[in-house]
Amino acid sequence: MKCPVCNHENGDAHFCERCGSNLTQTSPTPVPNPESAAASEPEYTRWSSTQATSSQTSAPSNTPSGSIHKEQARESTGTNDHVSAGGNSSNQWNNIVQNEKVQQAKEVSKQYLSYFLSVLARPYQTMKTVGDQHSLNGWLTMALIAVLSSTYFLITFSRIGMDGLFIGGFLRPLLFTVIILIASIALMYAILKIEKITFRPKTLVAQFGTLLVPAVVSLVLANLFIIISYSIAISLLAFSYIIIFVALNSVLFQYPLNRTKAAIDSMYSVLIANVVVFFILYRLLGEIIIGLIRLMLSPFGRL
């Protein structure tokens, strides 16, 4: 039998003696061609395989983006939670600060009330024992004097029907009284510096404010007596300003003055301080007080 592959004559053999091909097959098995196989493949099979391949290819590319969106969602959620938590914490902090301020104000008012009552009985003896820690009480006392004196003028002007009540009856007396008190402290400071006396400015304020406590009581009574009698009210007002002069002198003379051989005696330096304070008082509040005294002496101002 002739081999169909190499054309070798083999006789009756089943396999070729030269190439070993199987001689029992009538024709060689054709090698399948990929292109022809693809061509003979049904259309829906090729479409389904293409879709499966594309889905497998696109699946990995979609997975990272999905994870990115999830991460972004988690980050945005975490950010919102952080913002809300920060807002809550800031609100809580504001509430804590406000509560602390309220508590501090209550504590200061309680301390000042006990201080006020204790000083009112013995102002001069208490003045000798106060220190830097009482300087705040001194400033509070001076603030009360300024507010109460301006309130007195505001009530008086409103009763006699004057114009410009808030500016002329409240703001101006308030500012003028503050100037008088600050000038008194400045003059005491200057005299003690000239005398070369060692002192603490906060203690000086505390001592001056301690002696001004009776002036607060006098101004409270003056505001109350406006309704009853102008004469009593104006007398109490004048008495409160006299206390300022007494306090200035008492604070200065409890220090050992005239320790140095200065060109001017301590008596005259203190007298100059009193004259300066009186001049400031007269220039700022003199016209107002004189006008009220005239109103008090007039027949229409008496009750």
Side-chain angles (χ1 to χ4, degrees), residues 80-285:
N80 294 330
D81 294 338
H82 179 70
V83 171
S84 61
N88 293 330
S89 62
S90 62
N91 292 331
Q92 292 176 358
W93 175 253
N94 291 331
N95 293 331
I96 291 172
V97 171
Q98 291 177 358
N99 292 331
E100 288 182 353
K101 289 182 179 179
V102 171
Q103 294 297 327
Q104 289 177 358
K106 290 181 179 179
E107 191 67 25
V108 169
S109 62
K110 290 180 181 179
Q111 292 178 358
Y112 181 75
L113 181 60
S114 60
Y115 159 83
F116 186 89
L117 295 176
S118 62
V119 169
L120 187 60
R122 297 179 179 274
Y124 187 76
Q125 293 182 2
T126 308
M127 182 266 296
K128 294 181 178 180
T129 60
V130 294
D132 292 354
Q133 68 275 14
H134 298 95
S135 61
L136 178 60
N137 295 327
W139 289 115
L140 289 175
T141 302
M142 286 184 276
L144 285 175
I145 290 174
V147 172
L148 289 171
S149 61
S150 58
T151 304
Y152 174 87
F153 292 114
L154 179 63
I155 297 174
T156 304
F157 290 169
S158 63
R159 286 178 62 86
I160 62 179
M162 292 184 63
D163 297 330
L165 290 178
F166 184 73
I167 297 177
F170 186 80
L171 288 182
R172 288 181 63 186
L174 178 67
L175 179 61
F176 293 162
T177 307
V178 169
I179 292 174
I180 292 169
L181 294 173
I182 296 299
S184 301
I185 297 175
L187 289 169
M188 288 187 293
Y189 183 88
I191 291 174
L192 294 178
K193 281 293 185 181
I194 293 173
E195 296 287 337
K196 297 181 181 180
I197 296 174
T198 303
F199 67 99
R200 300 177 68 89
K202 289 185 177 180
T203 304
L204 185 67
V205 173
Q207 292 172 343
F208 185 62
T210 300
L211 294 177
L212 292 179
V213 168
V216 176
V217 179
S218 178
L219 286 170
V220 171
L221 294 175
N223 283 276
L224 294 176
F225 273 94
I226 293 176
I227 304 173
I228 301 173
S229 173
Y230 281 119
S231 59
I232 298 176
I234 193 66
S235 300
L236 291 171
L237 177 68
F239 179 72
S240 64
Y241 284 106
I242 292 173
I243 293 176
I244 296 176
F245 290 93
V246 175
L248 184 147
N249 292 277
S250 299
V251 171
L252 286 176
F253 281 112
Q254 63 97 23
Y255 285 96
L257 299 179
N258 204 23
R259 289 169 44 179
T260 60
K261 295 180 180 180
I264 184 172
D265 189 79
S266 300
M267 181 66 184
Y268 295 113
S269 61
V270 174
L271 180 61
I272 291 172
N274 283 270
V275 171
V276 171
V277 173
F278 179 80
F279 179 77
I280 295 173
L281 176 62
Y282 175 76
R283 292 293 297 176
L284 296 181
L285 295 177

